[in-house]
Amino acid sequence: GNSVTQMEGPVTLSEEAFLTINCTYTATGYPSLFWYVQYPGEGLQLLLKATKADDKGSNKGFEATYRKETTSFHLEKGSVQVSDSAVYFCALSDLRRDDKIIFGKGTRLHILP
Amino acid sequence: GAVVSQHPSWVICKSGTSVKIECRSLDFQATTMFWYRQFPKQSLMLMATSNEGSKATYEQGVEKDKFLINHASLTLSTLTVTSAHPEDSSFYICSARTGRTDTQYFGPGTRLTVL
């Protein structure tokens, strides 16, 4: 079945550092890929998405490119801020298969001032 | 746009009582709503999917008689945890979508603590 694997955290960086959170997926079809962010005590917010190979999703300085050849969707940001501290979830969904979103286990990010 | 609210945001109850959690789509009609459970420092586990006017579809291992889901209107779904026990303590999150799209909008979550 479909699955998502993302790097374990926590990840601790200094402010203005470059961020990469790795995410790979396994899917039999053609899923859409997502990154969600969860701030402390809150629900999930959609950060960005990509619906087909080579698409790049971007939002708030974050980017991720749908790489079918490596089955990856790594999240990157050039210069992180303290306010980016949160838990980041990689996810996929394939409506041709079912209605479910498959989430990775989440990566906790701490940004130090 | 696409705001989903949950009420209450947190609730503490005694073992054996029932608790109702509401999920509302504030500015769109939610044809489908989803209920998730999240344990500390873990990912979201889908509990059930509900379509307006239909019975909910529960995931394997989720007790439908314990977690009652009602989706009576296009803007409201409720999750009732019946005869709650301490092991039901968790963070419950709902999401909603309109039509058959791959984008779900998530509520802020409800933290349930059963004493």
Side-chain angles (χ1 to χ4, degrees):
Chain A
N2 293 352
S3 66
V4 174
T5 302
Q6 61 183 105
M7 63 188 292
E8 292 190 21
V11 173
T12 302
L13 296 172
S14 297
E15 203 166 22
E16 300 183 0
F18 183 87
L19 168 71
T20 300
I21 300 178
N22 291 335
C23 171
T24 57
Y25 68 91
T26 302
T28 53
Y30 302 91
S32 295
L33 301 176
F34 307 82
W35 277 100
Y36 285 88
V37 58
Q38 185 178 32
Y39 297 102
E42 299 182 12
L44 272 67
Q45 299 176 26
L46 177 63
L47 181 59
L48 54 84
K49 65 181 280 190
T51 58
K52 60 184 187 299
D54 299 326
D55 267 4
K56 177 186 284 188
S58 61
N59 186 27
K60 300 181 180 179
F62 291 90
E63 292 183 341
T65 301
Y66 191 144
R67 301 286 187 199
K68 193 168 178 62
E69 64 276 15
T70 54
T71 62
S72 64
F73 193 56
H74 304 323
L75 183 67
E76 296 182 336
K77 186 175 185 182
S79 177
V80 292
Q81 306 299 314
V82 172
S83 57
D84 294 327
S85 298
V87 181
Y88 292 80
F89 292 92
C90 186
L92 69 80
S93 174
D94 187 352
L95 287 181
R96 295 181 188 86
R97 182 185 173 95
D98 56 39
D99 286 340
K100 298 179 185 180
I101 294 180
I102 308 297
F103 289 93
K105 292 187 176 182
T107 302
R108 186 171 297 273
L109 175 65
H110 294 291
I111 305 300
L112 304 175
Chain B
V3 177
V4 176
S5 70
Q6 281 184 241
H7 178 80
S9 56
W10 58 270
V11 57
I12 301 173
C13 69
K14 293 182 179 180
S15 186
T17 61
S18 295
V19 174
K20 180 183 286 189
I21 301 170
E22 293 185 349
C23 176
R24 293 183 184 271
S25 58
L26 299 185
D27 51 2
F28 67 101
Q29 293 185 326
T31 51
T32 307
M33 287 186 168
F34 303 84
W35 286 95
Y36 296 84
R37 184 172 180 177
Q38 185 181 29
F39 291 99
K41 299 185 179 181
Q42 294 192 25
S43 190
L44 280 71
M45 179 190 79
L46 179 65
M47 300 174 66
T49 301
S50 74
N51 292 296
E52 185 265 339
S54 303
K55 288 185 178 180
T57 301
Y58 290 81
E59 294 299 299
Q60 192 172 8
V62 178
E63 299 175 58
K64 61 180 180 181
D65 294 329
K66 180 166 187 61
F67 299 99
L68 300 179
I69 291 172
N70 182 280
H71 191 171
S73 78
L74 286 172
T75 58
L76 173 65
S77 176
T78 60
L79 167 68
T80 301
V81 182
T82 61
S83 187
H85 288 94
E87 57 266 28
D88 299 323
S89 298
S90 192
F91 196 51
Y92 292 88
I93 301 174
C94 74
S95 71
R97 72 175 187 198
T98 184
R100 196 154 190 272
T101 71
D102 58 14
T103 299
Q104 296 179 20
Y105 300 97
F106 286 79
T110 297
R111 184 162 302 284
L112 169 63
T113 301
V114 184
L115 302 177

